[in-house]
Amino acid sequence: MEKKNIDWGNLSFAYQPIDYRYIATWKDGVWSEGTMSDDPTVQMNECAGVLHYCQEVFEGLKAYTTKDGSIVTFRPDLNAKRMADSARRLEMPVFPEERFLEALDAFVRANAAWVPPYGSGATLYVRPYMYASGPMVAVKPAPEFTFRMIGMPVGPYFKGGAKPITIRVCDYDRAAPRGTGNIKAGLNYAMSMHAQMEAHREGFDENMYLDPETRSFVEETGGANFLFVTKDGELVTPASDSILPSVTRRSLTYVAEKYLGLKVTQRKVAVSELADFAECGVCGTAAVICPVGKVVDHGKEICFPAGMEKPGPITQKLYDTLTGIQMGDIEAPEGWIRKIV
């Protein structure tokens, strides 16, 4: 299979239409068989539920070319489950988890020429999403829904390596108590955009959101989970019912314990103890781990000993080990790699 004639080493993390996308529709309680389409446009009724009441959920994962030339995806069963959980929370029909995986296999095979070659640093980013496509003016679930899976080849999130970022403690709440912070819905990200742009205008890279009830404990950023490393090498992740269950974070904590031999703890992390940590990072599908060099809490600077020049030693080991597993350089735990081609 011949790859596309692309300068793989200079791809950015941006949208680029590829040959095919997968589409299935739900109506009268039944999902259609699902088809591949070469048309990147979407047509819908002017009163589609997604346009008025934001019934929409999505996922993000990647397809890789491994060292032996195989094309694989990384733990897609967790994306399938999380999307099902998100759909239930917004009263949307669940796209069956096994069908999600079958659609992913078919989609990646159809677009195999767009999966970047091993060693290029690039991957095929896959975005499954589902939205209310049927017309609905009353505040209730729409009568029709559409599931689509699109993709684009993307370069590494940080070209030339990840440089530690500066984030601020945010005055806005990311999620309401007992709200939708633990699902992957577009409405959560729309709510975070004003705070994100405000942070950028003030010279910060990201926001640190606190728990909405007491505003004392760390939750996450607008789109990534936090990881902290203590001065004696323990990995700590915040615990909260409002945090999105990140596939990357769950994978990194396993790697920390089973591959690197670190103690791993999930607990509430108070803002008041940030200065006690040696390293801080945020993690997600796109970047894997982005190191944090400094947190600014309303003028008070909290600088991590790892500094602003490069990731801390444990953050770097976590990144290298997880990406090594994804690319086939390091043996993966059973069930983590789904071979497609």
Side-chain angles (χ1 to χ4, degrees):
M1 184 271 304
E2 186 176 348
K3 298 289 187 182
K4 296 289 183 179
N5 184 20
I6 292 174
D7 184 1
W8 302 106
N10 285 309
L11 287 171
S12 60
F13 197 88
Y15 171 70
Q16 177 180 345
I18 59 177
D19 292 340
Y20 300 103
R21 61 275 310 134
Y22 177 92
I23 305 170
T25 56
W26 182 89
K27 185 178 181 180
D28 299 327
V30 178
W31 281 103
S32 67
E33 184 176 343
T35 60
M36 291 290 175
S37 170
D38 60 4
D39 185 358
T41 61
V42 174
Q43 290 186 324
M44 65 176 73
N45 188 282
E46 62 186 351
C47 205
V50 66
L51 300 178
H52 300 268
Y53 303 123
C54 301
Q55 267 192 299
E56 184 269 353
V57 296
F58 71 99
E59 277 298 322
L61 64 156
K62 292 178 178 179
Y64 311 82
T65 301
T66 60
K67 193 173 185 178
D68 66 2
S70 301
I71 294 178
V72 306
T73 51
F74 179 73
R75 308 191 77 180
D77 56 311
L78 297 184
N79 296 98
K81 181 183 184 305
R82 188 170 64 182
M83 191 169 197
D85 292 340
S86 297
R88 292 186 187 98
R89 179 63 176 81
L90 293 190
E91 289 295 328
M92 301 171 70
V94 168
F95 194 72
E97 293 176 38
E98 190 54 41
R99 280 201 61 185
F100 179 105
L101 297 175
E102 292 168 357
L104 176 63
D105 290 352
F107 171 81
V108 173
R109 280 195 294 266
N111 292 293
W114 292 92
V115 181
Y118 172 79
S120 65
T123 54
L124 181 71
Y125 182 76
V126 181
R127 170 59 59 86
Y129 62 106
M130 180 168 59
Y131 57 93
S133 48
M136 179 54 62
V137 70
V139 182
K140 62 180 182 179
E144 300 173 23
F145 290 84
T146 299
F147 173 90
R148 294 175 70 99
M149 187 175 290
I150 65 173
M152 62 219 71
V154 297
Y157 201 77
F158 300 106
K159 289 187 179 294
K163 298 293 185 183
I165 62 173
T166 299
I167 62 179
R168 67 169 187 172
V169 174
C170 188
D171 288 329
Y172 297 99
D173 290 330
R174 174 188 160 270
R178 294 164 293 280
T180 60
N182 62 344
I183 67 170
K184 201 165 180 67
L187 55 90
N188 293 337
Y189 294 79
M191 287 174 60
S192 73
M193 286 185 185
H194 175 68
Q196 181 177 339
M197 296 309 297
E198 184 178 277
H200 291 173
R201 287 189 287 267
E202 293 179 5
F204 299 100
D205 298 292
E206 254 295 359
N207 287 297
M208 173 180 281
Y209 290 99
L210 307 181
D211 74 288
E213 290 191 277
T214 71
R215 298 196 54 77
S216 301
F217 299 100
V218 176
E219 293 226 321
E220 62 170 88
T221 70
N225 284 188
F226 278 103
L227 298 170
F228 298 98
V229 180
T230 66
K231 292 174 183 175
D232 59 0
E234 177 186 352
L235 186 70
V236 178
T237 63
S240 167
D241 291 338
S242 295
I243 292 176
L244 183 73
S246 163
V247 175
T248 304
R249 188 256 302 158
R250 284 178 279 178
S251 302
L252 286 166
T253 54
Y254 183 95
V255 163
E257 184 175 12
K258 303 299 183 182
Y259 284 70
L260 303 183
L262 303 178
K263 180 182 178 182
V264 177
T265 303
Q266 185 175 27
R267 62 172 175 80
K268 287 189 174 183
V269 175
V271 178
S272 59
E273 65 176 302
L274 290 181
D276 297 332
F277 292 111
E279 298 178 39
C280 173
V282 293
C283 62
T285 299
V288 183
I289 306 178
C290 174
V292 176
K294 180 167 60 178
V295 174
V296 179
D297 183 3
H298 299 86
K300 177 186 175 183
E301 292 191 352
I302 303 162
C303 300
F304 298 100
M308 292 294 296
E309 296 303 314
K310 61 182 181 179
I314 290 179
T315 299
Q316 189 66 58
K317 286 179 182 177
L318 287 168
Y319 176 87
D320 291 342
T321 306
L322 186 60
T323 55
I325 290 170
Q326 292 170 335
M327 292 296 179
D329 298 315
I330 298 174
E331 185 175 355
E334 184 177 355
W336 277 28
I337 303 298
R338 185 178 178 91
K339 184 175 178 179
I340 297 175
V341 177

